[in-house]
C-alpha cells in the first residue's frame, strides 16, 4: 500500500543574496507570498506590474524541515512527488542534490530512499530566475517573435506563456511550488497512470481501461474497475494485471451544453489488488 506524507504548508523562503528567511505557504508562489506579506503593491493595479516583474530577475530559495519515522524508512521505496514546480529548479534533500527541473507542465517523481534519515530532514528548492532566462535566450537567439505585449524568449521555456504578458495580461513571470508536494512510500506496487478510452456503440458506451503500474515485487496482481452512475448504480469488472479491461455502460446519461440540460457525472474507481486481496493503490 502507499503511504503519503504531505510537505504542503509552511515553508521558509528568501531571495538569493539575502540572509533573512520569510514565511511561505505551499502550494503558492513567490509573488503570492510577497503579496500576502505586504512586500509588494498589488501587481494588477495600474503600472505596478513593471516594478514587481523586476523582482523576478532574482533567484529564490524555499526550504522546510520535516520528520521521518522509523516505520516510513522500512518501506521498499520512497519517492519525492512534485505535482507543480515553477519552473527552473534545483532540489536538495539533506544537502544532497536530487534533481534539476525545467518544466512546470508535468509531475516529477524522484527516488529518495537513500537520502532520507530517521528524525529531522530538510528539503531545499532553489528557483532560478525565469526573467533572466528568457532575456538571455532572446539575446542569443535569432528568432524574436512574441505575442503582443509579451516578453521575448519565453518560447524556449516550458512555463505558462501568459506569465510573460499578453495584450490582455501583465508581465509577471512568477516562481514557486504551486501544486502539492509530498513523499510517497510504497511496498509492493502502485498505479502510475490510468487512461480511459470511450467506444460509442449502439448498445451504450464501452469504457476501455489502460493502466500502467510500478510493480516492486513479483507476484500476480488484479485490476478492479468500478463505475458509479449519478443514480448510484454501479458497473464493476475485474481483470488480471496486463489483461484487457473494459466495462459497458448501457444507455448512459448524456452531458448537455449549458442551458440545454443536465451535466451528470460518473465516478470511476480503479484499484490495483495483490494476490492476497490487499488493495495496493487506488485511482479515482
Amino acid at each position: 500500500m502507499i503511504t503519503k506524507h504531505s510537505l504542503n504548508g509552511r515553508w521558509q523562503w528568501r531571495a538569493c543574496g539575502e540572509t533573512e528567511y520569510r514565511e511561505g505557504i505551499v502550494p503558492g508562489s513567490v509573488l503570492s507570498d510577497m503579496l500576502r506579506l505586504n512586500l509588494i503593491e498589488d501587481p494588477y493595479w495600474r503600472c505596478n506590474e513593471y516594478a514587481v516583474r523586476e523582482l523576478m530577475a532574482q533567484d529564490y530559495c524555499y526550504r522546510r524541515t520535516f520528520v521521518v519515522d522509523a516505520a516510513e524508512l522500512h518501506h521498499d521505496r520512497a519517492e519525492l512527488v512534485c505535482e507543480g514546480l515553477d519552473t527552473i529548479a534545483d532540489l536538495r534533500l539533506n544537502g544532497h542534490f536530487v534533481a534539476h527541473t525545467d518544466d512546470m507542465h508535468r509531475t516529477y517523481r524522484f527516488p529518495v530512499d537513500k537520502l532520507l534519515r530517521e528524525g529531522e530532514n530538510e528539503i531545499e528548492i532553489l528557483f532560478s530566475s525565469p526573467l533572466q532566462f528568457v532575456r538571455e535566450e532572446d539575446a542569443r537567439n535569432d528568432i524574436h517573435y512574441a505575442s503582443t505585449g509579451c516578453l521575448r524568449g519565453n518560447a524556449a521555456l516550458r512555463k505558462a506563456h501568459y506569465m510573460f504578458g499578453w495584450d490582455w495580461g501583465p508581465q509577471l513571470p512568477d516562481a514557486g511550488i504551486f501544486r502539492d508536494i509530498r513523499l510517497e512510500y510504497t511496498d509492493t506496487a502502485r498505479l502510475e497512470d490510468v487512461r480511459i478510452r470511450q467506444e460509442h456503440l449502439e448498445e451504450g458506451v464501452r469504457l476501455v481501461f489502460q493502466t500502467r503500474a510500478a510493480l516492486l515485487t513479483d507476484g500476480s496482481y488484479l485490476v478492479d474497475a468500478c463505475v458509479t452512475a449519478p443514480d448510484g448504480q454501479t458497473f464493476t469488472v475485474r481483470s488480471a494485471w496486463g489483461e484487457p479491461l473494459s466495462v459497458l455502460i448501457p444507455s448512459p446519461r448524456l452531458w448537455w451544453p449549458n442551458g440545454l440540460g443536465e451535466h451528470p457525472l460518473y465516478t470511476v474507481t480503479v484499484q490495483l489488488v495483490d494476490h492476497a486481496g490487499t488493495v495496493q493503490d487506488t485511482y479515482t
Side-chain angles (χ1 to χ4, degrees):
M1 298 181 65
I2 295 178
T3 301
K4 297 181 180 181
H5 181 157
S6 175
L7 298 179
N8 292 347
R10 299 185 184 278
W11 286 56
Q12 293 181 312
W13 67 274
R14 64 176 173 84
C16 295
E18 296 181 354
T19 57
E20 179 187 359
Y21 277 91
R22 297 180 171 89
E23 182 185 85
I25 301 297
V26 170
S29 72
V30 171
L31 294 184
S32 64
D33 283 332
M34 286 184 172
L35 190 60
R36 180 175 50 82
L37 297 173
N38 296 316
L39 299 176
I40 56 174
E41 299 292 334
D42 182 353
Y44 297 104
W45 176 252
R46 295 191 174 180
C47 294
N48 286 348
E49 69 173 280
Y50 300 115
V52 174
R53 176 193 66 195
E54 293 308 307
L55 294 174
M56 299 313 301
Q58 303 180 77
D59 301 337
Y60 290 89
C61 178
Y62 276 71
R63 72 178 186 184
R64 68 158 291 171
T65 60
F66 58 94
V67 174
V68 174
D69 60 35
E72 290 173 315
L73 292 178
H74 284 142
H75 289 279
D76 292 333
R77 175 180 291 184
E79 291 180 310
L80 175 64
V81 182
C82 308
E83 293 191 2
L85 297 176
D86 182 13
T87 293
I88 309 170
D90 289 305
L91 291 79
R92 292 185 176 276
L93 184 57
N94 293 327
H96 299 282
F97 178 77
V98 175
H100 173 80
T101 73
D102 56 5
D103 188 343
M104 74 174 289
H105 302 301
R106 57 161 294 180
T107 293
Y108 288 97
R109 287 181 172 271
F110 305 116
V112 292
D113 313 65
K114 296 179 173 58
L115 302 181
L116 293 172
R117 61 195 180 206
E118 186 175 354
E120 187 173 87
N121 292 255
E122 181 179 62
I123 182 172
E124 182 179 60
I125 304 180
L126 171 64
F127 292 96
S128 298
S129 167
L131 188 57
Q132 286 296 105
F133 178 92
V134 299
R135 284 173 171 170
E136 292 171 6
E137 180 64 26
D138 179 57
R140 63 172 172 257
N141 204 319
D142 58 357
I143 299 175
H144 300 299
Y145 170 79
S147 300
T148 302
C150 181
L151 293 168
R152 298 187 310 198
N154 69 325
L157 188 59
R158 287 285 295 162
K159 176 176 172 67
H161 286 181
Y162 69 84
M163 291 187 181
F164 296 96
W166 221 293
D167 53 4
W168 50 264
Q171 298 175 355
L172 296 171
D174 208 346
I177 310 166
F178 71 99
R179 286 181 178 154
D180 292 344
I181 182 170
R182 63 183 178 275
L183 292 167
E184 284 192 3
Y185 302 99
T186 311
D187 282 325
T188 59
R190 66 170 174 81
L191 288 168
E192 289 187 321
D193 189 32
V194 176
R195 179 185 177 190
I196 305 170
R197 190 177 73 250
Q198 298 184 28
E199 295 179 353
H200 293 248
L201 311 169
E202 288 187 5
E203 60 268 30
V205 171
R206 185 184 306 280
L207 302 182
V208 180
F209 298 88
Q210 296 173 310
T211 58
R212 189 173 71 241
L215 306 179
L216 307 184
T217 60
D218 295 332
S220 59
Y221 292 88
L222 299 171
V223 180
D224 289 343
C226 177
V227 180
T228 304
D231 62 2
Q233 184 180 9
T234 60
F235 306 87
T236 60
V237 64
R238 166 174 281 191
S239 174
W241 167 251
E243 297 296 322
L245 184 69
S246 65
V247 60
L248 179 68
I249 312 298
S251 303
R253 293 180 60 185
L254 302 181
W255 180 291
W256 290 88
N258 187 26
L260 297 180
E262 297 178 312
H263 312 116
L265 292 174
Y266 286 72
T267 300
V268 178
T269 302
V270 177
Q271 293 184 324
L272 183 65
V273 184
D274 65 18
H275 64 279
T278 302
V279 175
Q280 294 298 325
D281 198 4
T282 300
Y283 167 94
T284 301

